[in-house]
């Protein structure tokens, strides 16, 4: 949810200035703060139960896993705020992971940045296919991306057949990137952070970003306001595809083993991360910060279950319950805000 | 004030537009000069909205040209029209509910600072400046969601001024405004006019046209009829040109001796919306519910019918209690509600005329729980015919009909339930003059047949012309109960505005 | 206009509409497959194909009604999985199968009611709610049964599910499927409930203002969806004689695909049951025929996905081509300007 919707009405009236002006305050809005608090409690509890949870290896695992999910969730958020959805991201991830894996396998000397760009390019093309079908075919995004979810996956299977790319077939330099760090921070994490910050600034501080929110908030008004709806839509889906492509390369780097099933079913986890992070499924509100934090929370939950020796089968159930909880809270806050706003209106001077 | 010798800011020249073989506008021409407010009138379906959409760049004319400051212009989309200095304020405001009011105003032309990023501080300051120029108090940081219709119109105007538009097109901006709000709006429009802007003003209310506009263009059936100075035309003449014939009496009120009390509403309350509302309606009586927009009239009738809940109070029909929050119970008791918003509440626009008419009675029409279609067709045919509805086929989507005929379908739908209490909310809003008279005659006839009629209306002539009794609401309460002989514009407005009548 | 002409035109538009086209294509596909694909027409294969399409067809029935009301239920496959898991665990605990089966259908209904409560009482978007319960129910299935499988169901039941009527190729399970399909078709197209379903989907507010109890309607549709998913879970378990937590994983997308392929609008308010059944049949035919032609299961995904997109794309394209042609015609022949009576 965006600033405007989750903020309780009282503070909207009294402190409207501060939360709007101070970027730090804006970043730490109610939803994001809630997730951070939940994260802290969860981490503290798990660590007390089992200090191994904060071991270097465990933290690294969580961060790497969360990075890939966060990159996907950021792309998804950009699409969802426009009142669309991209269900094809899991399949795009699988396709690019396999494609880039194959290319790297055949050209061991390929510089890493090139591999990353190649993945983004492949993903971007997939995203453009979605965009063109949504925009020019006038087909709802849910239908288009459900269709391309199948198609991209099918293409990957056709290409891969039953074969698998294993870690020993990939060059060392490619795989070792997962372990490399800058100032102690793994590169994968830095990439995810960079993506989140860039998307966050774009959505909040640039015209095109505000236009994306406007499109999701009231599509007809966006058209009448002269917003280039088609161009923006094309951009949003292309970015989502490109980020899914990037996530595919990161997936290949992290796991080393790639088959045609890579990323199957990820779309639901990605949507879950965004929704838990406060992105409204019907567009118009939500931030990439929230979505990225949502991704981190989901990853931490999964890992802490394992550490706490709780049956890991609970993870799915907890994610489901968390989604229901998150949208329930949003609903409650929105209803309360609406009531407060109405009251202020009804007793006008 | 009108500078006829100047170049028109905007000129429509011999423009035609068709939608799938139906000509919506043909051969329409008129100029808009700087410093004038120009009225565009015509019945619904006369082509006004199509003209507006062409000027807004939403539709492109099939033939003919638009000239901006004497230069031919072709708008490929709304962005082009905006760039040419044309701002359109639609009947239904087009704001982004999730964004702040300031962002709404700045959308598409946000001031940019370093690295091309939006200067958010300036966005807010500019909005605040615009509001102080317009003399209104709206928090620029609040979300657009939850603004009253009047405030939304103000934000739309701020948008237009902020974009330094030289041509302002207003499509029935006053339809949902109260008298005070209309005055405030007119003051703003006059200021803009005096600053040299051209305003195209579309309205169904003649008193507004005579008060505000210098010239008037009349359209009928998509064609241009005339463009004249307003002071050269009488209202009767305007109506005659719009309709193309002389009108029957607008308010054919029949005198009926009221019978027993049919509808009783007792101490109805809903937190923050209305409080302690009590009234009765007798058989054969037409009771009007008057008051400013936002005084809670529609909310009261919706709670009476049960589409909205209520916190306390009772509703009885013929002495029997109606369950709260349950329209079915109200319908079973013989109540019917023709709602305010035809497109959202009155009709399912994508469904056929037939399905719409028979929707409330689908259960009753079923045999052994099954609906074959024949029964529905006969029922729909009978009622649409009785109301003289014009349509192609009963299976056409109801959205393809004109506003007046749509309203007849809503009426047909509810009359088919043979109601004992008929509640009508703004029964003639947005429908053409001819159909208006038909609707009024129908209400009179129903009352004469013993139906208890409760009518919400913002149009004082309608209230005075039709009602046996006028209930005036103010801030969620019934402020006055005025019998027909004492009902005047002044008495109703005084009650509606209370102490603040002279602000 | 005479009634018969009216009806005639009505049936013509019906045939020209998308669901008519899908029915036609499905029949053509069946005929072509029977003629051209080796082994397609064999009684074994027919039985096999019906068994394959059974779960999707079952789930598509209530899903159609739900999508027509403008909602969606993505949790159906997880409901199927959870009932399957519970069925296995109850069987392990020694309960009689005759008790387990109705209990499982009831469980499905309860799970559907959970969705219904979230959507109609808390007023949350069904897309988000059922993504949540998709994860929740599947997770609970895993909690109930873990990764183990229960396989020793009574042979009488498992053979009935996979068996055929007497000596024909008609599988036993076709009978309950046809019965349910008939019930759902009649409900959607020839009852007051069906009228309410369309009204709620095309204009919820107007439907409420017409006395339709939209919330109650939606609630019961979710319950029906859950109950049918429960039944599908039972049949799935018996067919493979295996209760597993991951039974039917990912099936929800195939179900939605089949429904949309059948011409139901994802925005609600439009769709027909015959169209949906044809969509299911078309999908099953293609998959079966291609599998016989040795196309891998996964590559079939491409066909499913493409069909889904084309099913919505094609009507759109044909419509825009028609309007474009119309526009060109209008441009060529300027509209005669009727003389407007001069204003006096």
């Amino acid at each position: 949810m965006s600033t405007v919707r989750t903020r309780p009405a009282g503070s909207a009236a009294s402190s409207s200035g501060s939360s709007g002006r101070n970027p730090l305050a804006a970043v730490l809005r109610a939803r994001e703060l809630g997730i951070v608090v939940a994260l802290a409690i969860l981490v503290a509890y798990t660590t007390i139960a089992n200090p191994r949870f904060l071991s270097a290896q465990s933290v690294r695992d969580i961060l790497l896993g969360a990075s890939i999910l966060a990159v996907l969730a950021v792309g998804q958020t950009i699409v969802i705020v426009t009142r669309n959805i991209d269900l094809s991201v899991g399949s795009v991830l699988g396709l690019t992971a396999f494609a880039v894996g194959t290319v790297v396998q055949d050209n061991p000397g390929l510089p890493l940045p090139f591999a990353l760009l190649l993945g983004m390019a492949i993903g971007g093309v997939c995203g453009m296919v979605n965009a063109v079908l949504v925009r020019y075919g006038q087909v709802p995004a849910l239908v288009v991306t459900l269709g391309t979810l199948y198609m991209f996956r099918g293409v990957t299977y056709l290409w891969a057949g039953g074969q698998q790319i294993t870690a020993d077939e990939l060059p060392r330099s490619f795989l070792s990137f997962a372990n490399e760090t800058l100032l102690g921070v793994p590169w994968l994490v830095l990439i995810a952070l960079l993506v989140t910050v860039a998307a966050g600034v774009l959505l909040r501080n640039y015209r095109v970003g505000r236009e994306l929110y406007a499109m999701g908030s009231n599509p007809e008004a966006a058209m009448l306001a002269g917003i280039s709806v088609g161009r923006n839509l094309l951009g949003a889906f292309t970015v989502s595809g490109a980020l899914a492509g990037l996530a595919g390369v990161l997936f290949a780097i992290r796991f080393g083993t790639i088959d045609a099933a890579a990323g199957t079913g990820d779309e639901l986890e990605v949507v879950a991360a965004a929704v838990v992070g406060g992105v409204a499924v019907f567009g118009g509100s939500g931030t990439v910060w929230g979505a990225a934090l949502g991704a981190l929370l989901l990853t931490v939950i999964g890992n802490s279950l394992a550490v706490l020796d709780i049956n890991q089968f609970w993870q799915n159930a907890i994610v489901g319950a968390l989604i229901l909880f998150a949208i329930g809270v949003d609903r409650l806050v929105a209803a309360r805000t609406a009531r407060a706003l109405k009251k202020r209106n009804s007793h006008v001077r | 004030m009108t500078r006829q010798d100047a170049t028109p800011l905007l000129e429509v020249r011999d423009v035609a537009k068709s939608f799938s073989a139906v000509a919506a506008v043909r051969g329409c021409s008129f100029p808009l000069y700087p410093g004038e407010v120009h009225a565009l009138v015509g019945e619904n379906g006369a082509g006004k909205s199509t003209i507006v959409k062409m000027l807004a760049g939403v539709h492109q004319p099939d033939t003919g040209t638009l000239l901006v400051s004497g230069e031919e212009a072709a708008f490929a989309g709304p962005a082009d029209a905006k760039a040419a200095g044309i701002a359109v304020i639609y009947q239904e405001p087009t704001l982004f509910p999730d964004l702040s009011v300031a962002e709404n105003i700045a959308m598409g032309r946000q001031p940019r600072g370093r690295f091309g990023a939006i200067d958010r501080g300036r966005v807010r300051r500019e909005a605040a400046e615009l509001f102080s120029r317009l003399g209104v108090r709206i928090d620029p940081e609040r979300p657009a969601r939850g603004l009253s219709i009047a405030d939304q119109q103000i934000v739309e105007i701020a948008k237009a001024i902020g974009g330094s538009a030289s041509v302002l097109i207003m499509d029935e901006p006053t339809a949902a405004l109260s008298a005070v709000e209309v005055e405030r709006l007119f003051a703003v429009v006059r200021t803009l006019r005096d600053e040299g802007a051209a305003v195209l003003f579309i309205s169904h209310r003649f008193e507004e046209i005579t008060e505000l506009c210098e010239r008037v263009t009349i359209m009928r059936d998509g064609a241009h009829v005339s463009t004249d100075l307003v002071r050269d035309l009488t209202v009767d003449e305007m109506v005659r040109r719009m309709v193309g014939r002389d009108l029957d009496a607008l308010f054919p009120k029949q005198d009926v001796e009221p019978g027993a009390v049919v509808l009783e509403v007792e101490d109805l309350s809903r937190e923050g919306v209305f409080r302690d509302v009590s009234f009765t309606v007798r058989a054969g009586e037409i009771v009007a519910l008057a008051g400013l927009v936002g005084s809670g009239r529609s909310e009261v009738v919706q709670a009476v019918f049960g589409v909205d809940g209520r916190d306390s109070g009772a509703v009885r029909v013929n002495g029997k209690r109606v369950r709260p929050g349950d329209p079915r119970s109200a319908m079973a008791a013989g109540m019917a509600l023709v709602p305010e918003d035809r497109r959202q509440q009155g009709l399912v626009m994508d469904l056929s005329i037939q399905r719409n008419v028979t929707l409330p009675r689908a259960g009753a029409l079923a045999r052994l729980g099954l609906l074959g279609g024949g029964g529905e067709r006969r029922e729909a045919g009978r009622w649409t015919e009785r109301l003289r509805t014009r349509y192609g086929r009963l299976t056409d989507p109801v959205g393809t009909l004109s506003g007046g005929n749509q309203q007849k379908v809503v009426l047909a739908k509810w009359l088919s339930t043979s109601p004992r209490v008929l509640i009508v909310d703004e029964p003639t809003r947005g429908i053409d003059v001819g159909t208006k008279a038909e609707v009024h005659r129908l209400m009179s006839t129903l009352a004469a047949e013993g139906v208890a009629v409760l009518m919400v209306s913002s149009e004082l002539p309608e209230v005075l012309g039709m009602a046996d009794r006028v209930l005036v609401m103010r801030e969620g309460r019934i402020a006055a109960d005025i019998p027909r002989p004492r009902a005047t514009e002044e008495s109703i407005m005084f009650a509606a505005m209370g102490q603040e009548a002279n602000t | 206009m005479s009634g018969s002409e009216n009806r005639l035109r009505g049936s013509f538009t019906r045939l020209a509409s998308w669901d008519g086209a899908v029915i036609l294509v499905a029949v053509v596909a069946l005929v072509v497959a029977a003629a051209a694909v080796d082994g397609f027409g064999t009684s074994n294969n027919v039985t096999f194909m019906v068994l394959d399409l059974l779960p999707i067809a079952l789930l598509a029935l209530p899903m159609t009604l739900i999508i027509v009301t403008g909602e969606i239920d993505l949790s159906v496959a997880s409901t199927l999985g959870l009932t399957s898991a519970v069925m296995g665990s109850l069987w392990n605990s020694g309960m009689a199968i005759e008790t387990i089966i109705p209990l499982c259908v009831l469980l499905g209904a309860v799970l559907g009611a959970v969705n219904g409560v979230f959507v109609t009482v808390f007023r949350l978007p069904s897309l988000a709610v059922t993504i949540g319960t998709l994860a929740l129910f599947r997770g609970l299935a895993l909690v109930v049964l873990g990764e183990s499988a229960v396989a020793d169901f009574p042979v009488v039941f498992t053979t009935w599910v996979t068996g055929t009527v007497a000596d024909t190729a008609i599988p036993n399970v076709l009978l309950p499927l046809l019965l349910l399909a008939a019930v759902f078709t009649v409900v959607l197209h020839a009852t007051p409930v069906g009228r309410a379903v369309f009204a709620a989907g095309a204009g919820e507010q107007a439907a409420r203002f017409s006395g339709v109890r939209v919330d109650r309607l939606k609630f019961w549709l979710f319950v029906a969806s859950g109950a049918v998913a429960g039944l599908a879970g039972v049949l799935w378990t018996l067919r493979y004689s295996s209760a597993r937590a991951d039974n039917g994983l990912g099936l929800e997308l195939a179900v939605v695909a089949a429904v949309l392929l059948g011409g139901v609008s994802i925005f609600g308010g439009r769709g027909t049951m015959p169209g949906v059944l044809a969509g299911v049949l078309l999908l099953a035919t293609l998959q079966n025929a291609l599998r016989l032609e040795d196309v891998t299961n996964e590559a079939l995904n491409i066909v499913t996905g493409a069909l889904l997109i084309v099913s919505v794309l094609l009507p759109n394209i044909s419509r825009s081509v028609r309007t474009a042609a119309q526009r060109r015609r209008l441009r060529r022949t300027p509209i005669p300007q009727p003389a407007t009576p001069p204003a006096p």
Side-chain angles (χ1 to χ4, degrees):
Chain A
M1 294 239 152
S2 81
T3 14
V4 284
R5 208 146 119 206
T6 46
R7 205 164 52 207
S11 77
S14 56
S15 69
S16 60
S18 66
S19 58
R21 255 164 268 178
N22 184 342
L24 188 71
V27 170
L28 295 177
R29 275 178 310 270
R31 169 51 71 86
E32 284 84 347
L33 196 65
I35 301 178
V36 170
V37 170
L39 267 172
I41 294 172
L42 185 60
V43 169
Y45 179 81
T46 314
T47 314
I48 291 166
N50 186 344
R52 196 161 45 94
F53 187 60
L54 280 189
S55 71
Q57 182 57 34
S58 163
V59 168
R60 185 179 156 278
D61 259 5
I62 291 173
L63 288 180
L64 293 192
S67 299
I68 295 175
L69 190 57
V71 168
L72 290 170
V74 166
Q76 189 68 243
T77 302
I78 293 174
V79 173
I80 292 185
V81 290
T82 67
R83 202 180 283 192
N84 283 290
I85 197 164
D86 186 353
L87 294 178
S88 71
V89 288
S91 300
V92 173
L93 182 147
L95 179 60
T96 42
F98 194 82
V100 172
T102 309
V103 170
V104 172
Q105 188 184 7
D106 296 341
N107 311 283
L110 198 73
L112 190 89
F114 189 81
L116 292 173
L117 286 177
L118 179 67
M120 292 180 77
I122 295 172
V125 170
C126 292
M128 254 189 255
V129 170
N130 286 331
V132 166
L133 286 169
V134 171
R135 170 64 186 159
Y136 299 102
Q138 298 290 314
V139 184
L142 186 70
V143 179
V144 166
T145 58
L146 182 55
T148 52
L149 176 156
Y150 282 117
M151 292 176 70
F152 296 150
R153 182 65 65 192
V155 169
T156 317
Y157 271 107
L158 267 191
W159 185 3
Q163 99 196 52
Q164 192 177 61
I165 300 175
T166 53
D168 48 308
E169 292 165 344
L170 291 172
R172 271 240 93 75
S173 61
F174 185 74
L175 294 173
S176 66
F177 187 67
N179 300 318
E180 280 168 32
T181 59
L182 180 74
L183 305 173
V185 186
W187 272 102
L188 260 58
V189 175
L190 286 176
I191 289 176
L193 271 178
L194 182 73
V195 165
T196 309
V197 169
V201 170
L202 186 80
L203 282 187
R204 183 172 182 273
N205 292 330
Y206 282 82
R207 279 189 187 177
V208 64
R210 302 322 291 170
E211 288 177 2
L212 292 178
Y213 282 98
M215 286 161 56
S217 194
N218 185 346
E220 196 168 339
M223 197 270 293
L224 292 173
I227 291 173
S228 318
V229 174
R231 190 200 60 192
N232 288 352
L233 214 59
L234 202 72
F237 275 101
T238 307
V239 168
S240 170
L243 290 180
L246 177 64
V249 185
L250 299 183
F251 180 96
I253 291 172
R254 180 172 177 222
F255 294 103
T257 312
I258 313 151
D259 61 13
T264 302
D266 273 8
E267 56 281 346
L268 292 176
E269 204 176 344
V270 173
V271 173
V275 169
V276 168
V279 180
V281 266
F282 287 114
S285 71
T287 66
V288 293
W289 314 107
L293 282 171
L296 183 61
L297 181 62
L298 293 193
T299 317
V300 169
I301 289 175
N303 286 45
S304 64
L305 284 181
V307 171
L308 289 175
D309 242 5
I310 296 175
N311 187 337
Q312 57 173 348
F313 299 138
W314 277 102
Q315 179 176 1
N316 257 324
I318 290 174
V319 169
L322 206 57
I323 294 176
L324 294 176
F325 177 74
I327 55 176
V329 168
D330 283 349
R331 171 73 210 165
L332 207 70
V333 172
R336 212 172 260 180
T337 313
R339 211 175 313 136
L341 285 172
K342 206 178 221 168
K343 249 184 209 164
R344 266 205 301 169
N345 279 342
S346 68
H347 303 299
V348 269
R349 301 167 276 285
Chain B
M1 212 168 312
T2 313
R3 293 156 229 172
Q4 297 268 11
D5 47 334
T7 318
L9 274 176
L10 181 70
E11 190 175 351
V12 176
R13 194 177 281 173
D14 206 22
V15 155
K17 175 77 189 174
S18 305
F19 296 103
S20 52
V22 179
V25 169
R26 49 190 191 208
C28 189
S29 310
F30 61 88
L32 271 183
Y33 292 100
E36 79 159 338
V37 182
H38 189 124
L40 180 61
V41 299
E43 292 195 273
N44 275 45
K48 292 166 303 182
S49 309
T50 310
I51 293 273
V52 168
K53 290 208 166 126
M54 283 193 275
L55 295 176
V58 176
H59 295 324
Q60 284 70 45
D62 293 336
T63 60
T65 44
L66 304 176
L67 292 96
V68 176
S69 306
E71 310 247 330
E72 213 170 287
F75 302 147
D80 290 354
K82 237 175 136 186
I86 300 175
V88 182
I89 297 172
Y90 295 92
Q91 193 175 350
E92 277 156 31
T94 55
L95 298 179
F96 305 111
D98 295 292
L99 302 185
S100 74
V101 165
E103 280 207 273
N104 266 286
I105 292 172
M107 184 54 68
R109 40 167 197 81
Q110 296 98 331
R112 287 189 277 202
R114 272 185 309 167
F115 311 117
I118 296 172
D119 184 343
R120 297 175 76 92
R122 247 179 79 195
V123 167
R124 197 179 44 252
R125 279 197 305 279
E126 283 176 8
E129 276 163 28
L130 283 168
F131 285 143
S132 69
R133 227 176 104 191
L134 293 172
V136 293
R137 279 178 46 202
I138 300 175
D139 177 8
E141 282 289 299
R142 66 157 286 165
R145 188 184 304 277
L147 281 174
S148 70
I149 300 275
D151 283 347
Q152 291 185 44
Q153 295 282 14
I154 297 290
V155 175
E156 291 283 357
I157 291 173
K159 247 161 83 174
I161 309 172
S164 45
S166 53
V167 179
L168 196 60
I169 296 165
M170 307 175 91
D171 191 356
E172 292 198 51
T174 56
L177 300 193
S178 66
V180 186
E181 291 160 341
V182 167
E183 260 324 304
R184 194 168 67 172
L185 178 70
F186 281 9
V188 171
V189 171
R190 288 196 187 97
T191 315
L192 292 175
R193 175 196 64 193
D194 296 343
E195 288 169 3
V199 180
L200 184 66
F201 184 82
I202 297 171
S203 176
H204 276 118
R205 300 185 185 167
F206 295 108
E207 67 274 16
E208 293 177 357
I209 291 163
T210 42
E211 190 190 332
L212 187 70
C213 304
E214 278 89 49
R215 290 186 308 147
V216 54
T217 291
I218 300 174
M219 291 181 71
R220 183 172 70 235
D221 296 333
H224 179 254
V225 176
S226 65
T227 299
D228 292 284
L229 287 173
V230 170
R231 61 168 180 269
D232 295 346
L233 286 183
T234 62
V235 168
D236 286 349
E237 179 60 24
M238 276 193 253
V239 172
R240 214 183 61 73
R241 289 188 190 177
M242 279 167 59
V243 184
R245 62 186 161 85
D246 288 316
L247 268 188
D248 311 331
L250 251 176
F251 304 113
K253 172 89 179 101
Q254 303 178 17
D255 278 321
V256 179
E257 192 60 42
V261 167
V262 181
L263 175 68
E264 269 177 285
V265 175
E266 203 179 294
D267 291 332
L268 210 62
S269 295
R270 194 162 106 223
E271 165 88 48
V273 185
F274 51 82
R275 181 171 297 177
D276 301 334
V277 173
S278 302
F279 60 88
T280 58
V281 185
R282 295 167 173 276
E285 200 182 21
I286 299 181
V287 174
L289 205 50
L292 303 180
V293 169
S295 59
R297 299 166 305 168
S298 295
E299 289 80 357
V300 166
V301 296
Q302 288 179 12
V304 167
F305 186 64
V307 279
D308 280 349
R310 54 190 195 232
D311 296 339
S312 62
V315 175
R316 279 186 289 272
V317 176
N318 288 338
K320 276 207 328 212
R321 281 178 80 105
V322 176
R323 276 222 308 269
D326 184 10
R328 280 276 183 94
S329 165
M331 286 160 65
M335 226 192 281
L337 170 66
V338 173
E340 177 187 18
D341 184 342
R342 197 164 50 232
R343 303 185 61 85
Q344 295 289 327
Q345 303 167 338
L347 295 170
V348 183
M349 299 309 270
D350 288 341
L351 286 192
S352 66
I353 299 165
Q354 176 180 321
R355 291 281 177 89
N356 268 290
V357 173
T358 56
L359 187 57
R361 275 175 46 77
L365 290 172
R367 257 175 278 162
L368 300 173
L370 298 181
L371 287 166
E376 290 168 293
R377 195 163 50 239
R378 277 190 298 279
E379 177 92 351
R382 189 162 79 233
W383 284 100
T384 46
E385 197 157 315
R386 192 168 296 181
L387 292 179
R388 289 191 281 160
T389 318
R390 264 176 287 166
Y391 58 84
R393 277 175 294 161
L394 278 173
T395 47
D396 289 341
V398 77
T400 58
L401 301 183
S402 72
N405 280 308
Q406 285 177 4
Q407 188 71 335
K408 287 182 180 176
V409 172
V410 183
L411 285 162
K413 159 175 148 176
W414 287 113
L415 295 187
S416 78
T417 66
S418 345
R420 272 173 288 184
V421 179
L422 177 67
I423 307 174
V424 288
D425 194 348
E426 304 287 1
T428 59
R429 170 180 291 174
I431 67 179
D432 50 82
V433 192
T435 316
K436 250 185 197 177
E438 281 185 59
V439 170
H440 289 145
R441 194 174 314 112
L442 183 71
M443 284 165 56
S444 271
T445 316
L446 287 169
E449 288 168 3
V451 175
V453 180
L454 177 63
M455 173 182 78
V456 175
S457 176
S458 296
E459 294 192 34
L460 284 178
E462 185 170 81
V463 170
L464 295 171
M466 296 301 300
D468 293 303
R469 206 145 54 80
V470 182
L471 302 171
V472 185
M473 283 194 71
R474 183 175 73 233
E475 290 170 2
R477 291 166 189 268
I478 302 253
D481 183 343
I482 311 173
R484 184 176 179 84
R486 284 199 283 119
T488 60
E489 292 207 10
E490 290 73 28
S491 64
I492 294 174
M493 283 319 288
F494 184 77
M497 292 195 260
Q499 259 59 10
E500 297 172 84
N502 45 5
T503 50
Chain C
M1 183 181 304
S2 77
S4 64
E5 190 190 337
N6 205 341
R7 261 196 296 282
L8 201 70
R9 196 181 305 187
S11 53
F12 178 73
T13 26
R14 145 116 331 152
L15 211 70
S17 68
W18 179 257
D19 46 314
V22 175
I23 296 172
L24 208 68
V25 173
V27 170
V28 169
L30 263 181
V31 170
V32 170
V37 180
D38 268 350
F40 184 84
T42 64
S43 63
N44 249 346
N45 188 56
V46 169
T47 312
F48 194 67
M49 190 173 115
V50 172
L51 284 173
D52 269 356
L53 67 74
L54 177 71
I56 294 185
L58 278 176
L59 297 177
L61 298 173
M63 185 74 87
T64 303
L65 271 64
I66 287 181
I67 295 185
V68 171
T69 59
E71 304 290 341
I72 197 163
D73 183 356
L74 291 179
S75 72
V76 286
S78 296
T79 304
L80 185 157
L82 181 49
T83 26
S84 179
V86 168
M87 187 175 171
S89 123
L90 288 180
W91 176 249
N92 266 353
S93 76
M95 198 183 270
I97 190 87
E98 290 83 1
T99 321
I100 293 178
I101 292 177
L103 269 184
C104 282
V105 175
L106 186 68
L107 171 68
V110 170
L111 298 178
V114 170
N115 284 327
V117 165
F118 274 107
V119 173
T120 63
V121 179
F122 302 133
R123 313 203 158 277
L124 299 172
S126 56
L127 179 65
V129 167
T130 57
I131 285 181
T133 50
L134 179 157
L136 180 65
F137 297 163
R138 183 66 70 187
L140 292 177
L142 280 163
V143 172
V144 168
L145 210 56
E147 275 171 347
S148 59
V150 178
D152 52 346
F153 292 100
V155 181
V156 188
F157 284 84
T158 53
T159 48
W160 186 85
V161 169
T162 50
T164 59
V165 178
D167 288 333
T168 62
I170 304 167
N172 290 325
V173 290
L174 191 61
L175 302 176
L177 172 61
L178 287 180
L179 185 71
L180 273 176
V183 168
F184 275 95
T185 309
V186 169
V187 166
L188 180 60
H189 293 295
T191 65
V193 174
R195 299 292 190 262
V197 165
F198 281 105
E204 175 162 347
Q205 225 188 337
R208 281 204 310 120
F209 273 76
S210 305
V212 175
R213 290 163 169 161
V214 176
D215 286 335
R216 196 180 296 192
L217 175 72
K218 286 182 176 172
F219 175 81
W220 287 109
L221 288 183
F222 277 104
V223 171
S225 178
V228 170
L231 177 66
V234 170
L235 292 175
W236 183 296
T237 310
L238 292 177
R239 183 202 167 181
Y240 295 101
S241 192
S242 164
R244 291 179 55 88
D246 65 352
N247 274 350
L249 189 68
L251 201 65
E252 65 279 344
L253 296 184
V255 174
V256 173
V259 170
L260 298 182
L261 181 60
V264 175
S265 161
I266 188 78
F267 298 122
R270 254 200 351 255
T272 69
M273 199 55 96
V276 169
L277 293 172
V280 173
L281 187 62
L282 177 58
L283 267 184
T285 308
L286 281 176
Q287 300 207 339
N288 187 287
L290 291 175
R291 201 174 294 137
L292 288 173
E293 295 285 304
D294 276 342
V295 180
T296 62
N297 245 348
E298 289 77 13
L300 285 175
N301 281 335
I302 302 185
V303 180
T304 311
L307 267 179
L308 176 58
I309 294 175
V310 166
S311 70
V312 188
L313 189 61
L314 219 58
N316 284 352
I317 291 179
S318 77
R319 195 178 324 122
S320 49
V321 167
R322 264 205 309 278
T323 24
Q326 222 154 31
R327 174 116 334 129
R328 266 201 304 281
R329 258 204 322 280
L330 286 171
R331 284 249 165 82
R332 269 205 310 277
T333 50
I335 304 145
Q337 307 254 328
T340 45

